[in-house]
């Protein structure tokens, strides 16, 4: 398939293709050529070519990972198969009959660089030269490696390669050269390298999985995932046994937080790494068991993303025992120490890495990236800067440093790093996106308060930006204060609030890629938020930005207090708790179901649920349950408890030790006590029966049993109990209008009888109300008001009765029409509304009609918070402000209208009229 090389910076963010998903999720590994599953039709056609010899067919099978056991009797083929599957210490590499270049390749991968150079002494192919350069670089002999790569460049320019494999190796060498010496000449440019790979794949060998894999690796480094996955898909279709291809697939999954898919790739890599044997060469009893270095390193990368340093070390132990000189594994080991906040140990491991590979940047880069992922910005920058000194021409180092500085809101430093990166690699998507953003943000206007810096693009966003300072300072007082949940800490620097004009640039600010599906996020010292506008380029629309920013600012403060050392669930729990919002009904239902089914998350599961949810409700449950646990902690152990835990986290304590130290409980004991308390909460919310009340499902089960008995027997006389019924407690008789069908549930008469026995039972009240609504097209009627009120009292977390009562009292055609009675129910609903200004605006009008101007003003300001760009809301706000004779407030609302609707001169006329009114009332 032809792929024209394109500039990566022009491509959209990638998504997994259906074919690649299938490969990652379940494509079976063919055991041998007779197994046709997963075999490319083109490869099969080639194998079926009649003129091929048996030896040629065996070579083809091995090259495409389809060998038969007898193919591997030959040491050379067995060595090639071992390289493909990532078995780097197979016995074949000690056999002189194996290709020396394959033996050297395995030695380089193991970290045995001296052996590799010795083995390559007489080799002259481009592949051999590339391996020599890698080994020399690893030994710190950069000038010698540079000379080897210069010769590769000369040979590629002089001779038109006829071998696809050799051309691919030459391209790899030139790409590796750019990391040492920068972009270099035209032959090393991105377009040139991609053109050579296209020639290798499309002209020299259409079955070259090696060309597709090299293409995928280069594109992935450019953060061009959409084209990288396309190339990777083709590579895997042509060789489903390539451990290198699967490893790249797994790393892409980890980068995308798709840990389930990454774990599937780990399993595939372990399968691939099993010892290779032929039927004629059985393994000896003392032969080493299969060690899967790529699987272990991929697992380590998963654990790094999950901030599990212990898991990293456990994953790497088998590989480091077998391959002690493996540089990538040693770098990941150092990253694990850094994630445990043991910088002394991390530095010691980096020093040890230098003895294996003098002045290598890989360890410092890996540590810096791991720390940056977990918001350890200061330490991460230190390691990235050391990596940049060791590899000043490696664009990837500068890109990661620049992106870190973007997250840390140090835009001057970000600009310098990203400009350097752009010179070295103008085709990286994240780098080019972030560089443009930093330059654009440099032209933003700014408003500074005591604790915040608000940055916004000049224009209509000025309307919201000017209203933010007062709200932000109120948020500061709450979040940093000493009321329950308050974090009692003032961040060391002012927090930057960036009001991004659209979703694209909000996403770029947060991740460097425009594909984040939220409306605001905190990186620590910076909170980026998408403007809450109803516009084509906005994916989130209107929203209660004050509540959202209060949540995000709680992250900023808690992270600052703890040096960014917090379990994921804990920082989210503190942030949700500090929203100071009523319980969300969908969340309450999720929690009640989880408690009832014993599926509340434990401390390990709750962290995983944020980043790799297994069910659609998992992430929502994690947020809600975390805040619930935090609430329990404050109530049971006092408002100091979470703050003391934060201080233990800041000191580097892991969560189990911190809980034992601060709360005097293990996490398991805490969870047991929380579970009991949560059950009491559910009773108070009407989500579980009160003591003495039956479970609703038990009532239903008994009713079904008795109804089944009744249906199976002749009908009793109307005044007599059905046969088998207790004489003193007959089942209610059914009216003709409510005769039960087996799939309709109990009738209204049955439910009313239950209600007489249990008048405050929330489930029965709900069912009674719903049955009545079913007969009135969903509208509450006056005769059901009492039932709705009782249900609202029994289950105060359900908005349903409040919606019904508000609608009834606002209905002018109803005898119960009374807007003043609707207000309390509208207030209940508005307190839980996050995306619509309609309830607040309706309340503002209602209070205005009643002459309650202060209440009207409070509600119209809330409406303007949710939908600050809507002119009708501003017009109503101006009217209410004038009625209150708060002319400065009215003036601002009219000025906002001139900004929002500059083409309507009436707003300026109103400003003139307002000034006259102000003068006349003095």
């Amino acid at each position: 398939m032809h792929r024209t090389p394109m500039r990566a910076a022009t491509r959209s963010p990638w998504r997994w293709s259906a074919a690649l998903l299938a490969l990652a999720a379940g494509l079976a590994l063919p055991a041998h050529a007779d197994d046709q599953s997963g075999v490319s039709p083109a490869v099969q056609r080639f194998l079926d070519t009649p003129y091929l010899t048996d030896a040629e067919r065996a070579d083809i099978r091995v090259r495409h990972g389809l060998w038969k056991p007898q193919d591997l009797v030959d040491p050379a083929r067995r060595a090639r198969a071992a390289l493909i599957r990532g078995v780097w210490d197979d016995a074949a590499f000690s056999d002189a009959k194996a290709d020396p270049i394959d033996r050297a390749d395995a030695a380089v991968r193991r970290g045995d660089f001296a052996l590799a150079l010795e083995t390559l002494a007489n080799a002259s192919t481009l592949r051999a030269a590339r391996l020599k350069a890698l080994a020399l670089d690893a030994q710190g002999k950069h000038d010698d490696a540079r000379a080897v790569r210069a010769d590769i460049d000369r040979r590629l320019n002089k001779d038109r390669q006829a071998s696809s494999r050799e051309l691919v190796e030459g391209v790899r060498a030139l790409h590796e050269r750019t990391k040492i010496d920068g972009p270099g000449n035209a032959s090393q440019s991105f377009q040139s390298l991609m053109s050579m790979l296209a020639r290798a794949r499309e002209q020299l060998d259409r079955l070259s999985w090696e060309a597709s894999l090299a293409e995928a690796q280069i594109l992935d480094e450019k953060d061009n995932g959409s084209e990288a996955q396309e190339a990777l898909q083709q590579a895997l279709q042509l060789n489903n046994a390539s451990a290198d291809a699967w490893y790249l697939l797994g790393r892409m999954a980890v980068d995308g937080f798709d840990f389930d898919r990454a774990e599937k790739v780990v399993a595939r890599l372990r399968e691939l790494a099993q010892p290779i044997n032929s039927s004629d060469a059985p393994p000896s009893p003392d032969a080493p068991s299969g060690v899967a270095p790529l699987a272990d390193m991929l697992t380590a990368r998963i654990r790094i993303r999950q901030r599990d340093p212990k898991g990293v070390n456990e994953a790497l132990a088998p590989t480091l025992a077998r391959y002690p000189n493996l540089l990538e594994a040693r770098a990941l080991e150092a990253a694990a120490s850094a994630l445990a906040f043991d910088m002394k140990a991390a530095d010691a491991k980096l020093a040890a890495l230098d003895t294996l590979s003098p002045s290598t940047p890989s360890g410092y880069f890996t540590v810096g990236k791991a720390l940056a992922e977990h918001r350890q910005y200061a330490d991460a920058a230190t390691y990235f800067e050391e990596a940049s000194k060791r590899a000043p021409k490696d664009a990837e180092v500068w890109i990661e440093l620049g992106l870190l500085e973007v997250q840390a809101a140090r835009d001057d430093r970000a600009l310098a790093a990203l400009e350097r990166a752009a010179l070295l690699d103008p085709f990286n998507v994240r780098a080019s996106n972030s560089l443009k953003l930093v330059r654009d943000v440099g032209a933003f206007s700014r408003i500074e308060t005591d604790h915040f810096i608000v940055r916004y693009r000049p224009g209509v966003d000025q309307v919201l930006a000017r209203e933010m300072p007062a709200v932000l300072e109120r948020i500061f007082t709450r979040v940093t204060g000493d009321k329950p949940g308050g974090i009692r800490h003032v961040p060391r620097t002012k927090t930057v609030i960036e009001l991004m004009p659209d979703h694209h640039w909000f996403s770029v600010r947060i991740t460097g890629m425009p594909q984040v599906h939220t409306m605001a996020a905190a990186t620590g010292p910076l909170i980026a938020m998408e403007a809450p506008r109803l516009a084509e380029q906005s994916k989130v629309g209107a929203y209660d930005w004050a509540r959202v920013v209060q949540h995000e600012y709680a992250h900023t403060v808690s992270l600052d207090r703890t040096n960014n050392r917090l379990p994921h669930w804990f920082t989210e729990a503190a942030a949700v708790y500090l929203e100071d919002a009523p319980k969300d009904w969908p969340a309450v239902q999720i929690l009640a179901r989880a408690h009832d089914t014993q599926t509340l998350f434990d401390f390990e599961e709750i962290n995983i649920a944020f980043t790799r949810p297994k069910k659609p409700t998992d992430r929502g449950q994690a947020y809600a349950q975390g805040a619930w646990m935090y609430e329990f902690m404050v109530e049971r152990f006092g408002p100091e408890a979470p703050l003391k835990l934060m201080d233990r986290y800041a000191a580097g304590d892991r969560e189990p030790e911190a809980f034992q130290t601060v709360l005097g409980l293990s996490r398991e004991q805490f969870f047991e006590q929380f579970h009991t308390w949560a059950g009491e909460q559910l009773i108070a919310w009407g989500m579980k029966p009160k003591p003495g009340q039956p479970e609703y499902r038990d009532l239903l089960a008994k009713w079904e049993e008795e109804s089944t008995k009744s249906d199976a027997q002749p009908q009793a006389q109307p005044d007599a109990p059905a046969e088998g019924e207790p004489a003193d407690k007959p089942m209610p008789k059914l009216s003709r209008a409510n005769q039960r069908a087996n799939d309709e549930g109990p009738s209204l008469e049955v439910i009313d009888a239950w209600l007489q026995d249990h008048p405050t039972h929330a489930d029965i009240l709900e069912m009674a109300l719903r049955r009545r609504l079913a007969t009135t097209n969903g509208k509450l009627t006056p005769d059901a008001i009492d039932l709705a009120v009782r249900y609202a009292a029994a289950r105060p977390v359900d908005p349903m009765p409040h919606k019904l009562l508000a609608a009834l009292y606002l209905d002018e055609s109803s005898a119960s029409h009374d807007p003043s009675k609707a207000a309390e129910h509208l207030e209940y609903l508005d307190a839980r509304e996050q995306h619509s200004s309609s309830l607040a605006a309706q309340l503002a009008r209602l209070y205005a009609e009643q002459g309650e101007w202060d209440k009207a003003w409070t509600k119209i300001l809330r409406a303007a918070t949710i939908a600050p760009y809507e002119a009708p809301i501003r017009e109503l706000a101006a009217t209410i402000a004038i009625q209150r004779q708060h002319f400065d407030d009215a003036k601002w609302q009219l000025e906002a209208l001139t900004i929002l609707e500059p083409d309507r001169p009436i707003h300026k006329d109103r400003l003139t009229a307002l000034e006259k009114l102000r003068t006349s009332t003095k």
Side-chain angles (χ1 to χ4, degrees), residues 70 139 191 260 444 562 583 669 673 675 703 813 834:
Q70 60 267 31
Q139 292 185 327
Q191 295 99 325
D260 284 342
F444 275 21
T562 62
K583 292 289 184 291
Q669 290 170 322
Q673 291 187 16
H675 193 276
W703 166 79
S813 65
Q834 297 186 60

Side-chain angles (χ1 to χ4, degrees), residues 515-675:
Q515 56 178 142
V516 176
H517 304 291
T518 185
M519 71 280 290
T523 66
L526 175 138
I527 297 172
M529 57 175 285
E530 182 176 345
R533 69 176 88 249
L534 299 174
E536 206 171 283
Q537 68 270 36
S538 174
K539 290 190 176 181
V540 298
Y543 64 92
D544 185 351
W545 70 264
R547 175 175 171 178
V548 169
V549 169
Q550 187 156 320
H551 175 108
E552 299 302 333
Y553 188 58
H555 284 310
T556 293
V557 179
S558 65
L559 291 171
D560 192 83
R561 176 165 177 153
T562 62
N563 296 319
N564 291 356
R565 300 174 179 180
L566 270 177
H568 194 155
W569 82 265
F570 195 95
T571 185
E572 292 295 353
V576 175
Y577 183 93
L578 274 165
E579 289 179 29
D580 293 330
K583 292 289 184 291
D584 176 71
W585 174 234
V588 166
Q589 293 173 284
I590 291 172
L591 292 175
R593 190 177 305 114
H595 189 277
D596 187 50
T597 58
Q598 301 296 310
T599 55
L600 287 172
F601 298 132
D602 63 25
F603 284 91
E604 302 301 330
E605 293 168 335
I606 193 169
N607 283 318
I608 294 171
F610 284 107
T611 53
R612 49 184 177 124
K614 296 178 180 178
K615 305 189 301 296
T617 58
D618 277 2
R619 186 175 284 114
Q621 180 180 329
Y623 277 104
Q625 183 184 324
W628 213 16
M629 292 162 68
Y630 198 91
E631 182 182 351
F632 166 68
M633 188 182 298
V634 171
E635 181 178 307
R636 181 63 55 86
F637 300 96
E640 293 282 346
L643 305 181
K644 290 178 180 178
L645 281 173
M646 289 184 192
D647 292 340
R648 297 315 310 157
Y649 297 140
D653 284 6
R654 300 285 292 167
E655 189 173 69
E657 294 79 19
F659 264 57
Q660 195 69 56
T661 300
V662 173
L663 306 180
L665 298 173
S666 67
R667 293 190 303 176
E668 292 72 21
Q669 290 170 322
F670 174 92
F671 189 81
E672 184 178 345
Q673 291 187 16
F674 161 70
H675 193 276

Side-chain angles (χ1 to χ4, degrees), residues 174-241:
L174 294 185
H175 178 61
E176 290 156 1
R177 183 181 185 182
T178 64
K179 294 177 175 292
I180 305 298
D181 297 325
N185 58 39
S187 67
Q188 299 163 33
S189 71
F190 173 68
Q191 295 99 325
S192 177
L193 296 181
M194 298 304 285
S195 294
M196 284 189 277
L197 288 175
R199 176 172 175 263
R201 175 171 40 78
E202 297 177 5
Q203 297 179 22
L204 298 180
D205 183 0
R206 290 186 174 275
L207 300 182
S208 175
W209 62 269
E210 300 93 342
S212 294
L213 176 57
E215 192 175 30
Q217 290 166 332
I218 293 173
L219 287 165
D220 178 64
E221 287 187 18
K222 306 297 181 187
D223 287 307
N224 187 346
S226 58
E227 290 192 351
Q229 67 154 327
E230 186 181 345
L232 184 57
Q233 175 185 323
Q234 186 168 357
L236 283 167
Q237 287 173 342
L238 292 171
N239 186 351
N240 188 36

Side-chain angles (χ1 to χ4, degrees), residues 73-148:
V73 174
D74 176 62
R77 293 197 192 101
R78 176 169 168 166
R80 290 199 297 274
L83 270 180
I84 288 171
R85 294 181 67 163
V87 185
W88 302 332
D89 59 354
D90 187 82
F93 296 121
S94 300
D95 195 315
K97 295 179 183 178
D99 186 337
I101 301 179
D102 287 339
R103 291 158 53 201
D105 196 336
V108 167
R109 291 169 183 267
R110 295 192 305 266
D112 295 339
F113 304 113
L115 176 62
L117 290 171
E118 179 185 341
T119 307
L120 292 168
N122 299 317
S124 60
T125 65
L126 291 179
R127 181 186 175 206
R130 184 182 77 84
L131 292 170
K132 283 181 184 178
L134 287 175
L136 290 166
D137 264 331
Q139 292 185 327
K141 300 174 182 178
H142 302 304
D143 288 340
D144 292 343
R146 190 172 286 111
V148 172

